[in-house]
């Protein structure tokens, strides 16, 4: 029997496994094969930008992103395109541009050798056994059962662990669609696009060397793909070359519009990262929350006693941060407020050749 099983080896799960006290017997499960490039089947639908908040947390945890994880260009500019109000502005902001698959592999490689790993596995069922949890797995088609004292869901917006605890309120769920295109020129900026006919959230373009990602966070529905097509048509009209599509991917993402939607778990089942609802309601940035919440949970396990109570208290500052971002969101997502701010040119800058 394990002390802790972590479901999901993204930034939150791998970070938690790295930070846990060595006295615990720990198992990390992921449906991807993060230790073997030939077995990597599932690509995470993610823009692959490390925000200033996430950079600060990486620094605080003594980590530096290796060169092998980076891609170009490094981004110092956000091109904000307000299609509703027909306004464009440029703002200075520094993101580290990465390849998400390589970032996940790097974090996975930092997990201590003592920690056990099961890749290419999917969780089929979870059963509470009083003082333990039984997990039914599919491992390469073979059925297995494992037991653990504590289970941690670090498995994102589609968290099977969150479904198991039957959380009373969940964040709003969106569909993230991303399409990769060949680019005729290396774009030096990340674009944030606002168009209420496409989404009540936002869309984006992110350069990746001689390629560019076009993405959107969309309300689920049969017309989601039609709205994504509409976005591409509007971007083509604005000068983006989207003639050579390479690949397309999608995933569910959370948007936590109320802190009551955040759930850190129960007495022996814990949620961290996006599975708990820790994700920016204004930008869908999740790396910083994954790193911070995993550190909070590792500290709670280190302390012992009422682990869930301590973890929930440690996460108060994350909940407050999300509350503040929801309070500020109308400035971004209300058409009138956004028009006033962008028209004023406050904090914007002129970019040569734009």
């Amino acid at each position: 029997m394990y002390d802790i099983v972590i479901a999901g080896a993204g930034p939150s799960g791998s970070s938690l496994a790295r930070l846990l006290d060595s006295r615990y017997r720990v198992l990390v499960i992921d449906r991807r094969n993060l230790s073997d490039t030939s077995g990597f089947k599932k690509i995470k639908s993610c823009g692959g930008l490390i925000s200033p908040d996430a950079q600060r947390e990486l620094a605080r945890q003594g980590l530096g992103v290796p060169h092998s994880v980076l891609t170009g260009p490094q981004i110092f500019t956000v091109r904000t395109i307000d299609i509703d109000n027909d306004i464009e502005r440029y703002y200075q902001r520094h993101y580290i541009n990465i390849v998400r698959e390589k970032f996940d592999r790097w974090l996975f490689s930092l997990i201590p050798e003592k920690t056990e790993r099961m890749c290419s596995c999917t969780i089929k069922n979870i059963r509470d056994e009083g003082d333990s949890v039984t997990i039914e797995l599919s491992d390469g088609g073979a059925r297995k059962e494992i037991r653990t004292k504590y289970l941690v869901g670090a498995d994102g917006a589609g968290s099977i662990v969150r479904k198991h605890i039957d959380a009373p309120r969940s964040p709003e769920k969106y569909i993230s669609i991303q399409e990769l295109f060949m680019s005729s020129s290396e774009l030096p900026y990340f674009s944030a696009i606002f168009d209420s006919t496409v989404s009540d959230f936002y869309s984006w373009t992110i350069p990746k060397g001689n390629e560019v990602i076009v993405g959107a966070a969309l309300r689920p529905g049969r017309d989601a793909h039609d709205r994504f097509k509409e976005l591409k048509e509007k971007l083509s009209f604005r000068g983006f070359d989207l003639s050579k599509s390479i690949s397309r991917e999608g995933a569910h993402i959370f948007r936590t519009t109320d802190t009551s939607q955040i759930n850190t778990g129960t007495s022996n089942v814990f949620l961290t990262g996006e599975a708990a609802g820790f994700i920016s309601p204004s930008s869908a940035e999740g790396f910083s929350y994954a790193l911070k919440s995993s550190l909070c949970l590792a500290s709670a396990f280190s302390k012992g006693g009422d682990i869930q109570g301590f973890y929930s208290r440690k996460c108060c500052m994350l909940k407050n941060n999300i509350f503040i971002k929801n309070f500020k969101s109308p400035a971004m997502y209300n058409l009138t407020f956004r028009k006033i701010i962008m028209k004023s040119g406050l904090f914007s800058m002129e970019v040569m050749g734009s």
Side-chain angles (χ1 to χ4, degrees), residues 92-138:
Q92 191 278 323
R93 190 166 169 84
H94 177 227
Y95 293 90
I96 296 176
N97 200 357
I98 60 166
V99 177
R100 174 60 192 270
E101 174 193 337
K102 293 181 179 180
F103 184 68
D104 282 0
R105 287 185 184 282
W106 167 61
L107 290 174
F108 189 74
S109 74
L110 300 179
I111 297 173
E113 288 186 13
K114 177 178 178 285
T115 301
E116 296 180 50
R117 304 160 176 81
M118 290 182 69
C119 292
S120 303
C121 289
T122 53
I123 297 176
K124 295 300 182 182
N125 191 34
I126 300 169
R127 300 195 311 270
D128 285 318
E129 308 283 3
D131 60 349
S132 66
V133 178
T134 297
I135 306 163
E136 297 178 21
L137 296 170
S138 174

Side-chain angles (χ1 to χ4, degrees), residues 222-286:
R222 293 182 179 179
D223 64 339
H225 290 281
D226 291 334
R227 284 180 279 133
F228 187 68
K229 181 180 178 182
E230 180 184 346
L231 169 68
K232 291 188 293 180
E233 290 171 350
K234 290 179 178 180
L235 290 177
S236 296
F237 180 75
R238 287 178 177 264
F240 288 86
D241 181 6
L242 306 180
S243 58
K244 298 178 182 177
S245 176
I246 300 170
S247 61
R248 187 164 169 167
E249 60 200 22
H252 284 110
I253 60 171
F254 276 154
R255 188 182 189 188
T256 304
T257 56
D258 191 294
T259 53
S260 65
Q261 298 165 346
I262 296 170
N263 192 313
T264 56
T266 62
S267 59
N268 63 342
V269 179
F270 302 85
L271 299 171
T272 186
E274 190 177 0
F278 292 124
I279 187 167
S280 171
S282 56
S283 67
E285 189 276 324

Side-chain angles (χ1 to χ4, degrees), residues 1-2 4-7 25-29 116-118 121-123 125-127 129 132-139 143-151:
M1 183 165 118
Y2 293 95
I4 303 169
V5 170
I6 303 170
R25 186 187 180 198
V26 180
L27 170 67
V28 180
I29 301 169
E116 296 180 50
R117 304 160 176 81
M118 290 182 69
C121 289
T122 53
I123 297 176
N125 191 34
I126 300 169
R127 300 195 311 270
E129 308 283 3
S132 66
V133 178
T134 297
I135 306 163
E136 297 178 21
L137 296 170
S138 174
D139 181 8
R143 291 284 178 143
K144 293 183 178 179
E145 284 195 356
I146 57 173
R147 290 180 64 210
T148 182
K149 186 174 181 182
Y150 300 111
L151 172 63

Side-chain angles (χ1 to χ4, degrees), residues 181-187 207-212 239-244 246:
F181 296 88
M182 289 296 297
S183 180
S184 54
S185 60
E186 189 177 85
L187 301 174
K208 300 287 178 181
N210 61 351
E211 300 167 348
V212 61
F240 288 86
D241 181 6
L242 306 180
S243 58
K244 298 178 182 177
I246 300 170

